[in-house]
Amino acid sequence: MKFKNNKKSVDIVIPFYNEFKNLKILIPQIIKSTSNFRQFKIRYIFINDGSTDGGEKIVQKYLKSKKFNLISNKKKLGQTLSYKKYLELFKGDFFVRIDSDNQDNPIHLKRILNLLLKNNYDVILADRLLRKHPMMIIILTYIYNLITKFLIKVDLPTYSSSLVSYKRKFIKPNNLKYNDHRYLPLIAIFNGAKKIHTFSVIHRKRRYGQSNYSIIKKIFLGFPEFFYFFIRLKLGKFKRS
């Protein structure tokens, strides 16, 4: 499906926390991968989640362009509340989340935009192959995918990713808290998203900085957190109005 007269807007949303070196590499790659899509109104939304390494200065160099926007959290709020801020402040047709650690190759943004242009998908998920995460995280993700498939009755190769596109109407900021950003695909599905596409990507090893993943928290808190989220989901806490 090609959008003719009224261009659809696509927000590429990048939260970051102490990713100075990664941002220097990431931003030019994102621009290169997305700048030729004249069919869309593209905005780049960077969210500084209380960084202390000067990473915000990298983004500020690009703010002369109206396509670039910056949200600054005075202190670290986490990804969920950062996305909540974005959803409250910006209204668009689609938004694409990508992490700032360079483990997802920005070249795949081009593929996502082409898929949106041709097929107008509700959700597009990048399925990360050969993940460069600790083995325990990989095992827990595998178990999470099995449980999720059983609960929601939708067969996908993955239900979580750090590189995802959403049709904006399926995601509302209402009641987002804790680590709900991890479950945005499920919120979209429960709000009626049916046209879902996945494609495989090779997950890259982090070059700079440290991961914010806590294996201990994942082991002991991950599944209780998910089941609490799922109860809230079934109770309609994330329902679009």
Side-chain angles (χ1 to χ4, degrees), residues 109-129:
L109 292 171
K110 184 176 181 180
R111 183 169 183 177
I112 287 174
L113 292 175
N114 274 319
L115 286 166
L116 290 177
L117 187 62
K118 294 176 182 177
N119 297 288
N120 195 25
Y121 284 112
D122 297 333
V123 178
I124 301 172
L125 283 154
D127 184 15
R128 298 165 291 182
L129 303 181

Side-chain angles (χ1 to χ4, degrees), residues 174-175 177 186-187 190-191 226-240:
N174 310 37
N175 296 314
K177 53 186 177 181
L186 305 188
I187 292 174
F190 268 74
N191 278 333
F226 168 70
F227 287 118
Y228 178 56
F229 159 79
F230 191 74
I231 291 169
R232 291 158 59 220
L233 183 69
K234 295 291 284 185
L235 289 174
K237 298 297 184 181
F238 307 99
K239 190 175 182 179
R240 59 174 174 155

Side-chain angles (χ1 to χ4, degrees), residues 16-20 48-56 74 76:
F16 64 93
Y17 173 73
N18 288 350
E19 298 285 6
F20 180 90
N48 177 15
D49 191 25
S51 296
T52 57
D53 67 346
E56 184 168 305
K74 292 183 179 180
K76 193 174 190 299

Side-chain angles (χ1 to χ4, degrees), residues 55-161:
E56 184 168 305
K57 294 180 180 178
I58 302 297
V59 179
Q60 287 173 341
K61 294 178 181 179
Y62 293 88
L63 293 182
K64 291 180 181 179
S65 168
K66 293 182 180 179
K67 289 185 176 183
F68 279 79
N69 297 266
L70 176 65
I71 300 171
S72 293
N73 299 334
K74 292 183 179 180
K75 61 180 182 178
K76 193 174 190 299
L77 300 178
Q79 287 201 48
T80 294
L81 293 184
S82 293
Y83 282 115
K84 181 180 173 69
K85 270 194 174 183
Y86 154 72
L87 291 166
E88 291 171 341
L89 293 172
F90 293 87
K91 307 296 180 185
D93 297 296
F94 302 93
F95 84 91
V96 182
R97 64 158 292 192
I98 182 171
D99 282 354
S100 56
D101 57 13
N102 277 313
Q103 290 191 259
D104 287 308
N105 193 333
I107 196 172
H108 298 305
L109 292 171
K110 184 176 181 180
R111 183 169 183 177
I112 287 174
L113 292 175
N114 274 319
L115 286 166
L116 290 177
L117 187 62
K118 294 176 182 177
N119 297 288
N120 195 25
Y121 284 112
D122 297 333
V123 178
I124 301 172
L125 283 154
D127 184 15
R128 298 165 291 182
L129 303 181
L130 303 175
R131 288 180 63 182
K132 304 301 181 181
H133 287 149
M135 182 55 66
M136 182 55 68
I137 295 293
I138 295 172
I139 293 171
L140 290 173
T141 302
Y142 176 76
I143 297 171
Y144 163 76
N145 284 335
L146 289 177
I147 294 173
T148 303
K149 179 180 177 180
F150 173 77
L151 289 174
I152 71 169
K153 312 302 182 186
V154 176
D155 188 7
L156 297 173
T158 185
Y159 300 89
S160 64
S161 175

Side-chain angles (χ1 to χ4, degrees), residues 10-14 26-46 67-68 96 98 105-114 116 163:
V10 179
D11 291 337
I12 299 172
V13 186
I14 310 103
L26 180 68
I27 296 175
Q29 290 180 344
I30 288 177
I31 295 171
K32 183 179 180 180
S33 183
T34 61
S35 60
N36 291 330
F37 285 85
R38 309 298 181 191
Q39 304 93 329
F40 294 114
K41 296 177 183 177
I42 295 177
R43 294 183 294 195
Y44 308 104
I45 317 293
F46 288 84
K67 289 185 176 183
F68 279 79
V96 182
I98 182 171
N105 193 333
I107 196 172
H108 298 305
L109 292 171
K110 184 176 181 180
R111 183 169 183 177
I112 287 174
L113 292 175
N114 274 319
L116 290 177
L163 178 58

